[in-house]
Amino acid sequence: MADVSPLARPFPDLPEVAGCTRGTATAGYKNWTRADVTLLAFAPGTSVAGVTTRSKCPSPEVELCRRHLPWGSARGLVVNAGNSNAFTGLKGAEACARQVAEAANLLGCEPAEVFAASTGVIGVPLPQEKAIAGVQAAHAALGTASWLDVTRAIGTTDTFPKAAAREAVIDGTTVRLVGFIKGSGMIAPDMATMLGFTVTDAAIDPALLQALLEAANGRTFSCITVDGDTSTSDTVLAFATGAAGNRPLAAVGDAGADAFAAALEDLCRELAQLVVRDGEGASRFIEIRVSGAVSDASAHRVAMSIANSPLVKTAIAGGDANWGRVVMAVGKAGEPAERDLLSIRFGGIEVAASGMVVDGYDEAPVTAHLQGPEIDIAVDLGLGDGRATVWTSDLTHGYISINADYRS
Amino acid sequence: MADVSPLARPFPDLPEVAGCTRGTATAGYKNWTRADVTLLAFAPGTSVAGVTTRSKCPSPEVELCRRHLPWGSARGLVVNAGNSNAFTGLKGAEACARQVAEAANLLGCEPAEVFAASTGVIGVPLPQEKAIAGVQAAHAALGTASWLDVTRAIGTTDTFPKAAAREAVIDGTTVRLVGFIKGSGMIAPDMATMLGFTVTDAAIDPALLQALLEAANGRTFSCITVDGDTSTSDTVLAFATGAAGNRPLAAVGDAGADAFAAALEDLCRELAQLVVRDGEGASRFIEIRVSGAVSDASAHRVAMSIANSPLVKTAIAGGDANWGRVVMAVGKAGEPAERDLLSIRFGGIEVAASGMVVDGYDEAPVTAHLQGPEIDIAVDLGLGDGRATVWTSDLTHGYISINADYRS
């Protein structure tokens, strides 16, 4: 087992969310005794929204979520850990469909109201009998699993359980939002898979929930990277039970929609950052802010070019104030940039401006900043108003050990 | 000093190229006694062509080459090692211009006929006095430096000198081509810089030489990657002295142009592969062939997505037959791909087809292939006739050590 990440956060106190019950069970997808099947049951009338991987080779679970999302209604969520069921052909698709059908049968709903996600080994079809027995046992256990239990049950090689909560007031009614997520711990031959789920008791129309989730995703989950590799199974789902009894939100302009949107985005940001904090081999949490780009989208691409650069990530791992590698990563992004307008700050300290190192540059305070666990890199391109912020981890021997030294 | 790469090749016997003389000298850009300034002098009438980095933040040397290339004529090449002069503002541009002017003065030619490249530390202006004294000393030494001498003098943290030669017959006349290159060994804060130079005694019009070099580049230097990071200084220049006395080549259809183009591309391919063999921390040389794409360009992007994936590269480093990571990298490339049409081979052995692992898959021969130093990955997308081949190295603890453990 990997040690707990040095960037870990304690598991928070999480409120109950009315209209959602939880159960876990052991299907035994691997040779272990831990819970590896999770079932969440939702009250009738629960809205659902989701975003899934852009991979052209998605898992059958991702394809099932994409088929079910347009209906907008959810009664159940099944999550399998230890087997991603990805790239398993018709056999894997059938196993996924049968497990979801069994969940629908147990919950007394339509299969289209059940969502599924799996994470773990790729290329091995989900074993049907274990999957069905597992979801039956998880159903029998509904009401017995804590948020911590389900967060642990969806994890694979995560080194700590990751969850968060927020509140919002909608037209006088307080609503709760809870999110839990699994991140990018993995062993060969697993993919760095991110599965994230949020549950709220707010009443909200699924189309609006989808719009707010997509907006939040664009500023949170889409702004993190550990190694630039995109999983075949990445899935984020948002469920809203409506049990809080607020006047249902249906449009962006409705009273309280802003507050809910802000709480959802804030929740997603914390979950996204927790994934980075558990990035494989991570020893430093890095925030990269790019401003002065020709557009926000351009700023995002420049920021991701920096965040995904092995040379930048290894320099940070070495505590090296190597702003030249940041210049390189800006230059290779393919976005509009002018060398002689570029400025770069580490930990708020300007190191380069107008195409060269600043006069009287003193590396000592910058190096001191780089010794800490939280690194701040700011780049201004000096061209326009476009800006973006992304988060990543450093690239260490730990990453190589996790991904090269262990065999499947 | 890093150990010699396990993938190193012996330095070959190289012929003289009439019309080109060489000198080296020690400018002392670092605290060392080795030669770090190289001057090549070319006979009047020498043609030149070049391709440079796509970085938006190029070095002044790259900008100078871009300004001089349209004139098509070369009398000199100056290469500095130990200081890349990149991101050094006006001061660096002035140092570059003054060194080139001095070389032109010594060679009795126009500054526009002199080309320059520098590699090494970023952000420190090239010291003018050392640069000028260095090029003067290299000029005084013209005729005394071997190909091995100049190959060593342009290197930085390369673990072995890299050069190659070819011949071609143009309309009955044998011409010689020699190339030498520095690759992606580096220490912080240096960039993985590739500088490559070819010299031939063929007579060829600069416009045709440029067209042939660009074509060769697209299938050779543009098809290698070590870490996906693009230098601010990457430069490939081709010089043709015309001393062989062949009927000058001016158009693609001229007799012998095909033979020369083939020799040039073959030379560039060997040089490019040598750079991969000296990739930082490389323990395996990986050829990735993608076929069945909707176009050659699409195949190239899929192949580079596989070649740049940290998860694929660490799997190879670990000798792990992890075809799931290849699926992931195909999926994330953003190019047309159908999971259920995909097939994957390692070392010629089919491991996955039609969206799933092959029946009766035996990992043993695949794992045996992966224990060797030369790895072959073939992916067929099953969609069209597009194909591409790229080369890369694996991602090892050695890469992290080189780039994180040492300080600038």
Side-chain angles (χ1 to χ4, degrees):
Chain A
M1 287 300 285
D3 291 336
V4 171
S5 167
L7 306 171
R9 293 284 195 239
F11 198 80
D13 287 327
L14 298 172
E16 281 306 314
V17 176
C20 170
T21 56
R22 302 169 300 264
T24 64
T26 302
Y29 295 126
K30 289 194 163 187
N31 183 24
W32 57 26
T33 56
R34 53 157 276 191
D36 56 7
V37 178
T38 300
L39 179 67
L40 266 62
F42 304 109
T46 293
S47 297
V48 62
V51 290
T52 56
T53 180
R54 292 187 186 173
S55 172
K56 304 281 184 179
C57 302
S59 69
E61 283 76 356
V62 166
E63 294 188 319
L64 179 135
C65 288
R66 290 176 182 170
R67 285 197 306 274
H68 292 188
L69 277 166
W71 300 95
S73 169
R75 294 291 307 283
L77 166 69
V78 184
V79 185
N80 304 295
N83 184 321
S84 80
N85 201 32
F87 213 65
T88 54
L90 286 176
K91 212 164 170 182
E94 186 188 316
C96 172
R98 283 202 54 202
Q99 189 188 36
V100 162
E102 180 63 19
N105 181 45
L106 294 163
L107 295 168
C109 68
E110 295 297 320
E113 296 176 298
V114 177
F115 292 78
S118 298
T119 174
V121 177
I122 202 170
V124 180
L126 194 70
Q128 280 200 28
E129 302 315 316
K130 287 182 180 177
I132 288 168
V135 78
Q136 288 168 340
H139 181 263
L142 276 176
T144 66
S146 68
W147 288 117
L148 179 58
D149 291 336
V150 298
T151 305
R152 284 192 172 134
I154 71 165
T156 52
T157 53
D158 301 66
T159 75
F160 66 97
K162 293 174 278 289
R166 290 293 185 279
E167 283 187 355
V169 177
I170 300 175
D171 205 19
T173 304
T174 298
V175 302
R176 285 156 206 85
L177 301 86
V178 168
F180 58 112
I181 196 160
K182 77 163 300 279
S184 37
M186 76 175 202
I187 45 167
D190 298 4
M191 222 59 78
T193 305
M194 194 191 77
L195 303 180
F197 309 103
T198 70
V199 185
T200 179
D201 54 6
I204 178 167
D205 180 77
L208 178 60
L209 185 61
Q210 182 69 33
L212 298 183
L213 181 66
E214 286 179 14
N217 176 65
R219 287 188 286 266
T220 59
F221 299 117
S222 291
C223 298
I224 62 171
T225 179
V226 169
D227 53 17
D229 275 342
T230 303
S231 157
T232 51
S233 305
D234 289 340
T235 301
V236 174
L237 296 170
F239 301 94
T241 67
N246 60 289
R247 190 187 311 171
L249 296 173
V252 176
D254 288 353
D258 275 6
F260 180 81
L264 180 65
E265 180 171 327
D266 209 39
L267 177 68
C268 290
R269 184 174 295 105
E270 180 166 346
L271 294 173
Q273 293 185 353
L274 286 169
V275 170
V276 171
R277 289 183 180 282
D278 207 3
E280 294 174 333
S283 73
R284 290 185 172 81
F285 178 87
I286 308 168
E287 176 167 292
I288 298 169
R289 282 173 293 120
V290 171
S291 58
V294 295
S295 68
D296 288 353
S298 179
H300 181 80
R301 285 189 285 268
V302 171
M304 286 303 249
S305 177
I306 300 168
N308 279 323
S309 161
L311 291 174
V312 171
K313 295 162 87 84
T314 49
I316 301 296
D320 183 1
N322 197 323
W323 55 272
R325 294 185 184 180
V326 176
V327 176
M328 175 280 302
V330 171
K332 80 164 182 165
E335 293 297 314
E338 282 286 339
R339 183 189 58 200
D340 297 344
L341 296 175
L342 198 59
S343 82
I344 299 171
R345 291 170 188 268
F346 283 89
I349 306 156
E350 189 164 64
V351 298
S354 306
M356 56 192 302
V357 69
V358 295
D359 267 348
Y361 171 53
D362 177 11
E363 192 176 276
V366 176
T367 301
H369 173 69
L370 294 178
Q371 299 310 308
E374 313 270 332
I375 308 299
D376 171 53
I377 301 175
V379 174
D380 191 276
L381 302 180
L383 295 173
D385 295 326
R387 56 180 60 240
T389 302
V390 306
W391 302 277
T392 191
S393 50
D394 54 350
L395 176 55
T396 68
H397 283 289
Y399 182 87
I400 306 295
S401 295
I402 292 166
N403 289 303
D405 297 353
Y406 297 93
R407 290 296 316 282
S408 54
Chain B
M1 288 299 287
D3 291 335
V4 172
S5 167
L7 306 171
R9 293 283 195 238
F11 198 80
D13 287 328
L14 298 172
E16 281 306 314
V17 176
C20 170
T21 56
R22 302 169 299 265
T24 65
T26 302
Y29 295 126
K30 290 194 164 186
N31 184 23
W32 57 26
T33 56
R34 53 158 274 193
D36 55 8
V37 179
T38 300
L39 179 67
L40 266 62
F42 303 109
T46 293
S47 297
V48 62
V51 290
T52 56
T53 179
R54 292 186 187 173
S55 171
K56 303 282 184 177
C57 302
S59 70
E61 282 77 355
V62 166
E63 295 187 319
L64 180 134
C65 287
R66 290 176 183 168
R67 285 196 306 274
H68 292 188
L69 277 166
W71 299 95
S73 169
R75 294 291 306 282
L77 166 70
V78 183
V79 185
N80 303 295
N83 184 321
S84 80
N85 200 31
F87 213 65
T88 54
L90 287 176
K91 212 164 169 182
E94 185 188 316
C96 172
R98 283 202 53 204
Q99 190 188 36
V100 162
E102 180 63 18
N105 181 44
L106 293 163
L107 295 168
C109 67
E110 295 297 320
E113 295 176 297
V114 177
F115 291 78
S118 297
T119 174
V121 177
I122 202 170
V124 179
L126 194 69
Q128 280 199 28
E129 302 315 315
K130 287 183 180 177
I132 289 168
V135 79
Q136 288 168 341
H139 181 262
L142 276 176
T144 67
S146 68
W147 287 117
L148 178 59
D149 291 336
V150 297
T151 305
R152 283 194 172 133
I154 70 166
T156 53
T157 54
D158 301 66
T159 75
F160 66 97
K162 294 175 277 289
R166 292 291 185 279
E167 285 186 353
V169 177
I170 301 176
D171 205 20
T173 304
T174 298
V175 303
R176 286 156 205 86
L177 300 87
V178 169
F180 59 112
I181 196 160
K182 76 164 300 280
S184 36
M186 78 176 201
I187 46 167
D190 298 4
M191 222 62 76
T193 305
M194 193 191 78
L195 304 181
F197 309 103
T198 70
V199 185
T200 178
D201 54 6
I204 178 168
D205 180 77
L208 178 60
L209 185 60
Q210 181 70 32
L212 298 183
L213 181 65
E214 287 178 14
N217 176 66
R219 287 188 287 266
T220 60
F221 299 118
S222 292
C223 298
I224 63 171
T225 179
V226 169
D227 53 17
D229 276 342
T230 303
S231 157
T232 52
S233 306
D234 289 340
T235 301
V236 174
L237 296 170
F239 301 95
T241 67
N246 60 289
R247 189 187 311 171
L249 297 173
V252 177
D254 288 353
D258 275 5
F260 181 80
L264 180 64
E265 179 172 327
D266 209 40
L267 177 68
C268 290
R269 183 175 295 105
E270 179 166 347
L271 294 172
Q273 293 185 354
L274 286 170
V275 170
V276 171
R277 290 183 179 280
D278 207 4
E280 293 175 334
S283 73
R284 289 185 173 81
F285 178 87
I286 309 168
E287 176 167 292
I288 299 168
R289 283 174 292 120
V290 172
S291 57
V294 296
S295 69
D296 288 354
S298 179
H300 181 79
R301 285 189 285 268
V302 171
M304 286 303 248
S305 178
I306 299 169
N308 278 322
S309 161
L311 292 175
V312 171
K313 293 161 88 83
T314 48
I316 301 297
D320 184 0
N322 197 323
W323 55 273
R325 294 185 184 179
V326 176
V327 176
M328 176 280 303
V330 171
K332 79 163 182 166
E335 293 297 315
E338 283 285 339
R339 185 188 58 199
D340 298 344
L341 295 176
L342 198 57
S343 82
I344 300 170
R345 290 169 189 267
F346 284 89
I349 305 156
E350 189 165 64
V351 297
S354 307
M356 57 191 302
V357 68
V358 294
D359 267 348
Y361 171 53
D362 176 13
E363 193 175 277
V366 177
T367 302
H369 173 68
L370 294 177
Q371 298 309 309
E374 313 271 332
I375 308 300
D376 171 52
I377 301 176
V379 173
D380 191 277
L381 302 179
L383 294 173
D385 295 326
R387 56 181 59 241
T389 301
V390 306
W391 301 277
T392 191
S393 50
D394 54 349
L395 176 56
T396 67
H397 283 289
Y399 183 88
I400 306 295
S401 295
I402 292 166
N403 289 303
D405 297 354
Y406 297 93
R407 291 295 317 282
S408 53

PDB file of all heavy atoms in Angstrom, chain B residues 362-384:
ATOM      1  N   ASP B 362      -1.934 -14.747 -24.604  1.00  0.00           N
ATOM      2  CA  ASP B 362      -0.812 -15.263 -23.811  1.00  0.00           C
ATOM      3  C   ASP B 362       0.175 -14.120 -23.603  1.00  0.00           C
ATOM      4  O   ASP B 362       0.817 -13.665 -24.547  1.00  0.00           O
ATOM      5  CB  ASP B 362      -0.158 -16.430 -24.559  1.00  0.00           C
ATOM      6  CG  ASP B 362       1.084 -16.945 -23.824  1.00  0.00           C
ATOM      7  OD1 ASP B 362       1.287 -16.565 -22.646  1.00  0.00           O
ATOM      8  OD2 ASP B 362       1.840 -17.718 -24.440  1.00  0.00           O
ATOM      9  N   GLU B 363       0.290 -13.654 -22.379  1.00  0.00           N
ATOM     10  CA  GLU B 363       1.128 -12.488 -22.114  1.00  0.00           C
ATOM     11  C   GLU B 363       2.619 -12.798 -22.204  1.00  0.00           C
ATOM     12  O   GLU B 363       3.429 -11.891 -22.416  1.00  0.00           O
ATOM     13  CB  GLU B 363       0.784 -11.920 -20.727  1.00  0.00           C
ATOM     14  CG  GLU B 363       1.378 -10.542 -20.493  1.00  0.00           C
ATOM     15  CD  GLU B 363       0.935  -9.916 -19.168  1.00  0.00           C
ATOM     16  OE1 GLU B 363      -0.151  -9.334 -19.153  1.00  0.00           O
ATOM     17  OE2 GLU B 363       1.672 -10.026 -18.172  1.00  0.00           O
ATOM     18  N   ALA B 364       2.993 -14.065 -22.069  1.00  0.00           N
ATOM     19  CA  ALA B 364       4.412 -14.415 -21.942  1.00  0.00           C
ATOM     20  C   ALA B 364       5.288 -13.902 -23.094  1.00  0.00           C
ATOM     21  O   ALA B 364       6.304 -13.255 -22.846  1.00  0.00           O
ATOM     22  CB  ALA B 364       4.569 -15.922 -21.764  1.00  0.00           C
ATOM     23  N   PRO B 365       4.937 -14.158 -24.376  1.00  0.00           N
ATOM     24  CA  PRO B 365       5.816 -13.674 -25.448  1.00  0.00           C
ATOM     25  C   PRO B 365       5.848 -12.148 -25.528  1.00  0.00           C
ATOM     26  O   PRO B 365       6.865 -11.565 -25.937  1.00  0.00           O
ATOM     27  CB  PRO B 365       5.216 -14.295 -26.719  1.00  0.00           C
ATOM     28  CG  PRO B 365       3.809 -14.646 -26.367  1.00  0.00           C
ATOM     29  CD  PRO B 365       3.813 -14.962 -24.903  1.00  0.00           C
ATOM     30  N   VAL B 366       4.737 -11.499 -25.160  1.00  0.00           N
ATOM     31  CA  VAL B 366       4.704 -10.035 -25.178  1.00  0.00           C
ATOM     32  C   VAL B 366       5.638  -9.492 -24.103  1.00  0.00           C
ATOM     33  O   VAL B 366       6.428  -8.574 -24.339  1.00  0.00           O
ATOM     34  CB  VAL B 366       3.264  -9.532 -24.959  1.00  0.00           C
ATOM     35  CG1 VAL B 366       3.248  -8.011 -24.893  1.00  0.00           C
ATOM     36  CG2 VAL B 366       2.360 -10.032 -26.080  1.00  0.00           C
ATOM     37  N   THR B 367       5.557 -10.088 -22.925  1.00  0.00           N
ATOM     38  CA  THR B 367       6.436  -9.647 -21.840  1.00  0.00           C
ATOM     39  C   THR B 367       7.901  -9.883 -22.200  1.00  0.00           C
ATOM     40  O   THR B 367       8.761  -9.053 -21.905  1.00  0.00           O
ATOM     41  CB  THR B 367       6.065 -10.392 -20.545  1.00  0.00           C
ATOM     42  OG1 THR B 367       4.691 -10.115 -20.255  1.00  0.00           O
ATOM     43  CG2 THR B 367       6.919  -9.916 -19.384  1.00  0.00           C
ATOM     44  N   ALA B 368       8.163 -10.988 -22.894  1.00  0.00           N
ATOM     45  CA  ALA B 368       9.541 -11.262 -23.324  1.00  0.00           C
ATOM     46  C   ALA B 368      10.024 -10.151 -24.263  1.00  0.00           C
ATOM     47  O   ALA B 368      11.150  -9.660 -24.138  1.00  0.00           O
ATOM     48  CB  ALA B 368       9.619 -12.622 -24.018  1.00  0.00           C
ATOM     49  N   HIS B 369       9.168  -9.734 -25.209  1.00  0.00           N
ATOM     50  CA  HIS B 369       9.525  -8.633 -26.118  1.00  0.00           C
ATOM     51  C   HIS B 369       9.836  -7.368 -25.323  1.00  0.00           C
ATOM     52  O   HIS B 369      10.780  -6.636 -25.627  1.00  0.00           O
ATOM     53  CB  HIS B 369       8.386  -8.382 -27.103  1.00  0.00           C
ATOM     54  CG  HIS B 369       8.584  -7.174 -27.969  1.00  0.00           C
ATOM     55  ND1 HIS B 369       9.551  -7.096 -28.940  1.00  0.00           N
ATOM     56  CD2 HIS B 369       7.936  -5.967 -27.998  1.00  0.00           C
ATOM     57  CE1 HIS B 369       9.488  -5.909 -29.531  1.00  0.00           C
ATOM     58  NE2 HIS B 369       8.529  -5.211 -28.975  1.00  0.00           N
ATOM     59  N   LEU B 370       9.038  -7.119 -24.294  1.00  0.00           N
ATOM     60  CA  LEU B 370       9.190  -5.882 -23.524  1.00  0.00           C
ATOM     61  C   LEU B 370      10.423  -5.895 -22.632  1.00  0.00           C
ATOM     62  O   LEU B 370      10.801  -4.866 -22.078  1.00  0.00           O
ATOM     63  CB  LEU B 370       7.933  -5.622 -22.686  1.00  0.00           C
ATOM     64  CG  LEU B 370       6.677  -5.322 -23.517  1.00  0.00           C
ATOM     65  CD1 LEU B 370       5.472  -5.142 -22.607  1.00  0.00           C
ATOM     66  CD2 LEU B 370       6.872  -4.070 -24.369  1.00  0.00           C
ATOM     67  N   GLN B 371      11.049  -7.026 -22.466  1.00  0.00           N
ATOM     68  CA  GLN B 371      12.289  -7.070 -21.685  1.00  0.00           C
ATOM     69  C   GLN B 371      13.475  -6.563 -22.501  1.00  0.00           C
ATOM     70  O   GLN B 371      14.498  -6.187 -21.945  1.00  0.00           O
ATOM     71  CB  GLN B 371      12.579  -8.503 -21.193  1.00  0.00           C
ATOM     72  CG  GLN B 371      11.504  -9.067 -20.265  1.00  0.00           C
ATOM     73  CD  GLN B 371      11.138  -8.149 -19.115  1.00  0.00           C
ATOM     74  OE1 GLN B 371      12.005  -7.665 -18.403  1.00  0.00           O
ATOM     75  NE2 GLN B 371       9.849  -7.857 -18.957  1.00  0.00           N
ATOM     76  N   GLY B 372      13.335  -6.567 -23.818  1.00  0.00           N
ATOM     77  CA  GLY B 372      14.433  -6.126 -24.678  1.00  0.00           C
ATOM     78  C   GLY B 372      14.521  -4.608 -24.734  1.00  0.00           C
ATOM     79  O   GLY B 372      13.626  -3.909 -24.263  1.00  0.00           O
ATOM     80  N   PRO B 373      15.618  -4.093 -25.345  1.00  0.00           N
ATOM     81  CA  PRO B 373      15.800  -2.643 -25.401  1.00  0.00           C
ATOM     82  C   PRO B 373      15.055  -1.962 -26.547  1.00  0.00           C
ATOM     83  O   PRO B 373      14.964  -0.744 -26.570  1.00  0.00           O
ATOM     84  CB  PRO B 373      17.316  -2.493 -25.582  1.00  0.00           C
ATOM     85  CG  PRO B 373      17.715  -3.722 -26.315  1.00  0.00           C
ATOM     86  CD  PRO B 373      16.801  -4.816 -25.853  1.00  0.00           C
ATOM     87  N   GLU B 374      14.548  -2.748 -27.519  1.00  0.00           N
ATOM     88  CA  GLU B 374      13.898  -2.164 -28.691  1.00  0.00           C
ATOM     89  C   GLU B 374      12.442  -2.611 -28.695  1.00  0.00           C
ATOM     90  O   GLU B 374      12.146  -3.788 -28.871  1.00  0.00           O
ATOM     91  CB  GLU B 374      14.584  -2.644 -29.976  1.00  0.00           C
ATOM     92  CG  GLU B 374      16.104  -2.562 -29.961  1.00  0.00           C
ATOM     93  CD  GLU B 374      16.635  -1.224 -30.462  1.00  0.00           C
ATOM     94  OE1 GLU B 374      15.960  -0.582 -31.289  1.00  0.00           O
ATOM     95  OE2 GLU B 374      17.736  -0.821 -30.015  1.00  0.00           O
ATOM     96  N   ILE B 375      11.535  -1.665 -28.515  1.00  0.00           N
ATOM     97  CA  ILE B 375      10.114  -1.991 -28.358  1.00  0.00           C
ATOM     98  C   ILE B 375       9.340  -1.535 -29.581  1.00  0.00           C
ATOM     99  O   ILE B 375       9.555  -0.435 -30.097  1.00  0.00           O
ATOM    100  CB  ILE B 375       9.534  -1.305 -27.111  1.00  0.00           C
ATOM    101  CG1 ILE B 375      10.393  -1.598 -25.878  1.00  0.00           C
ATOM    102  CG2 ILE B 375       8.079  -1.711 -26.907  1.00  0.00           C
ATOM    103  CD1 ILE B 375      10.506  -3.049 -25.528  1.00  0.00           C
ATOM    104  N   ASP B 376       8.420  -2.383 -30.011  1.00  0.00           N
ATOM    105  CA  ASP B 376       7.635  -2.117 -31.213  1.00  0.00           C
ATOM    106  C   ASP B 376       6.153  -2.167 -30.835  1.00  0.00           C
ATOM    107  O   ASP B 376       5.660  -3.188 -30.361  1.00  0.00           O
ATOM    108  CB  ASP B 376       7.982  -3.208 -32.241  1.00  0.00           C
ATOM    109  CG  ASP B 376       7.087  -3.186 -33.439  1.00  0.00           C
ATOM    110  OD1 ASP B 376       6.942  -2.116 -34.051  1.00  0.00           O
ATOM    111  OD2 ASP B 376       6.517  -4.245 -33.769  1.00  0.00           O
ATOM    112  N   ILE B 377       5.457  -1.046 -31.028  1.00  0.00           N
ATOM    113  CA  ILE B 377       4.013  -0.988 -30.752  1.00  0.00           C
ATOM    114  C   ILE B 377       3.309  -0.618 -32.046  1.00  0.00           C
ATOM    115  O   ILE B 377       3.655   0.384 -32.678  1.00  0.00           O
ATOM    116  CB  ILE B 377       3.686   0.070 -29.672  1.00  0.00           C
ATOM    117  CG1 ILE B 377       4.418  -0.245 -28.361  1.00  0.00           C
ATOM    118  CG2 ILE B 377       2.178   0.160 -29.437  1.00  0.00           C
ATOM    119  CD1 ILE B 377       4.216   0.814 -27.279  1.00  0.00           C
ATOM    120  N   ALA B 378       2.343  -1.426 -32.451  1.00  0.00           N
ATOM    121  CA  ALA B 378       1.585  -1.149 -33.666  1.00  0.00           C
ATOM    122  C   ALA B 378       0.105  -1.064 -33.321  1.00  0.00           C
ATOM    123  O   ALA B 378      -0.436  -1.938 -32.647  1.00  0.00           O
ATOM    124  CB  ALA B 378       1.827  -2.240 -34.709  1.00  0.00           C
ATOM    125  N   VAL B 379      -0.521  -0.002 -33.775  1.00  0.00           N
ATOM    126  CA  VAL B 379      -1.944   0.209 -33.511  1.00  0.00           C
ATOM    127  C   VAL B 379      -2.632   0.399 -34.851  1.00  0.00           C
ATOM    128  O   VAL B 379      -2.201   1.217 -35.666  1.00  0.00           O
ATOM    129  CB  VAL B 379      -2.157   1.470 -32.635  1.00  0.00           C
ATOM    130  CG1 VAL B 379      -3.637   1.782 -32.501  1.00  0.00           C
ATOM    131  CG2 VAL B 379      -1.512   1.282 -31.272  1.00  0.00           C
ATOM    132  N   ASP B 380      -3.683  -0.383 -35.090  1.00  0.00           N
ATOM    133  CA  ASP B 380      -4.498  -0.164 -36.286  1.00  0.00           C
ATOM    134  C   ASP B 380      -5.867   0.341 -35.855  1.00  0.00           C
ATOM    135  O   ASP B 380      -6.523  -0.275 -35.007  1.00  0.00           O
ATOM    136  CB  ASP B 380      -4.620  -1.445 -37.113  1.00  0.00           C
ATOM    137  CG  ASP B 380      -5.229  -1.150 -38.482  1.00  0.00           C
ATOM    138  OD1 ASP B 380      -6.478  -1.071 -38.566  1.00  0.00           O
ATOM    139  OD2 ASP B 380      -4.474  -0.939 -39.445  1.00  0.00           O
ATOM    140  N   LEU B 381      -6.276   1.483 -36.435  1.00  0.00           N
ATOM    141  CA  LEU B 381      -7.551   2.088 -36.040  1.00  0.00           C
ATOM    142  C   LEU B 381      -8.720   1.559 -36.862  1.00  0.00           C
ATOM    143  O   LEU B 381      -9.878   1.789 -36.505  1.00  0.00           O
ATOM    144  CB  LEU B 381      -7.470   3.612 -36.174  1.00  0.00           C
ATOM    145  CG  LEU B 381      -6.360   4.301 -35.366  1.00  0.00           C
ATOM    146  CD1 LEU B 381      -6.392   5.815 -35.618  1.00  0.00           C
ATOM    147  CD2 LEU B 381      -6.513   4.028 -33.881  1.00  0.00           C
ATOM    148  N   GLY B 382      -8.413   0.879 -37.987  1.00  0.00           N
ATOM    149  CA  GLY B 382      -9.470   0.242 -38.765  1.00  0.00           C
ATOM    150  C   GLY B 382     -10.428   1.193 -39.463  1.00  0.00           C
ATOM    151  O   GLY B 382     -11.551   0.822 -39.802  1.00  0.00           O
ATOM    152  N   LEU B 383      -9.986   2.438 -39.695  1.00  0.00           N
ATOM    153  CA  LEU B 383     -10.905   3.432 -40.268  1.00  0.00           C
ATOM    154  C   LEU B 383     -10.541   3.846 -41.690  1.00  0.00           C
ATOM    155  O   LEU B 383     -11.431   4.152 -42.481  1.00  0.00           O
ATOM    156  CB  LEU B 383     -10.914   4.691 -39.391  1.00  0.00           C
ATOM    157  CG  LEU B 383     -11.477   4.545 -37.974  1.00  0.00           C
ATOM    158  CD1 LEU B 383     -11.248   5.832 -37.198  1.00  0.00           C
ATOM    159  CD2 LEU B 383     -12.960   4.198 -38.015  1.00  0.00           C
ATOM    160  N   GLY B 384      -9.239   3.898 -42.003  1.00  0.00           N
ATOM    161  CA  GLY B 384      -8.840   4.419 -43.316  1.00  0.00           C
ATOM    162  C   GLY B 384      -7.424   4.016 -43.648  1.00  0.00           C
ATOM    163  O   GLY B 384      -6.916   3.013 -43.138  1.00  0.00           O
TER     164      GLY B 384
END
